[in-house]
Amino acid sequence: ISRKGGAFIEGLLNHLPSLLSLSIPTVNSFRRVGPGCWTGHKVGWSTEDKESPVRVCIDLNTQQATNVELKLSDASANIYLELAAILSAGMEGIKNEKVLRPMMNDEDTALPLPQSLRESLDLLKKDELLLSILGDELSTAYIAVRELEARADTTLEEEVSAALRA
């Protein structure tokens, strides 16, 4: 991985917990995240590890990095907000010449990712970079709408039961 590529990834990892509010922005999105879901559950990166939230793919012939995947994204995200956040986080890493942390391994003690939309929104409220790219009006409205959804959080069983009664 090039120095700039590593700095970009590190910038992304620094903002990943709050960025999840934009990339997996629903209560249901967070139900698909965790150990064994091939999405990652800790802040970190790896090569060819489907359990890592940021995966660097390696060409088997050249042993060179070919692409980087952020696996914590789904179709409920506003792609424009998500991409703006990803690019801003990565560019901040490049601007500040961040050094990429070591690759995750099985014994890694990396920080856990938020396990709920509410938890990620609380982190977004403190993330000055992401709030600045959204702007005051959009960030206030976005957080308010998502918090309303997060407050209505029920278990999947409760949701199914309510739908069947309707």
Side-chain angles (χ1 to χ4, degrees):
I1 300 171
S2 70
R3 191 172 48 79
K4 280 187 180 179
F8 186 96
I9 294 169
E10 185 61 27
L12 177 61
L13 292 173
N14 286 339
H15 294 277
L16 187 58
S18 53
L19 193 144
L20 296 183
S21 315
L22 301 167
S23 67
I24 53 172
T26 66
V27 169
N28 206 36
S29 298
F30 276 88
R31 290 184 180 141
R32 295 186 289 270
V33 174
C37 294
W38 287 12
T39 56
H41 58 284
K42 292 182 178 182
V43 178
W45 71 280
S46 187
T47 58
E48 304 301 327
D49 180 357
K50 291 177 175 49
E51 283 293 319
S52 176
V54 177
R55 183 170 78 124
V56 176
C57 300
I58 304 293
D59 182 291
L60 295 177
N61 294 323
T62 65
Q63 295 301 304
Q64 297 294 311
T66 57
N67 62 293
V68 177
E69 292 179 344
L70 171 62
K71 296 190 292 179
L72 291 163
S73 179
D74 70 24
S76 63
N78 177 318
I79 192 68
Y80 303 105
L81 299 181
E82 179 182 8
L83 284 175
I86 290 168
L87 292 173
S88 296
M91 292 307 292
E92 182 191 55
I94 291 172
K95 177 183 170 191
N96 295 329
E97 299 180 353
K98 296 286 187 181
V99 176
L100 183 59
R101 65 190 74 188
M103 183 172 24
M104 288 176 47
N105 59 44
D106 292 338
E107 297 85 40
D108 205 309
T109 57
L111 294 173
L113 286 168
Q115 296 186 1
S116 70
L117 177 58
R118 186 175 311 187
E119 201 177 323
S120 184
L121 285 168
D122 287 343
L123 294 168
L124 178 60
K125 290 180 204 174
K126 299 172 191 164
D127 192 318
E128 292 178 16
L129 174 72
L130 296 186
L131 291 175
S132 72
I133 64 152
L134 293 173
D136 290 338
E137 288 182 29
L138 180 56
S139 62
T140 300
Y142 185 88
I143 290 169
V145 168
R146 293 299 175 195
E147 281 183 327
L148 183 62
E149 179 183 350
R151 267 186 258 138
D153 187 10
T154 58
T155 66
L156 185 57
E157 291 76 19
E158 292 168 334
E159 236 179 85
V160 169
S161 179
L164 292 173
R165 285 192 304 264

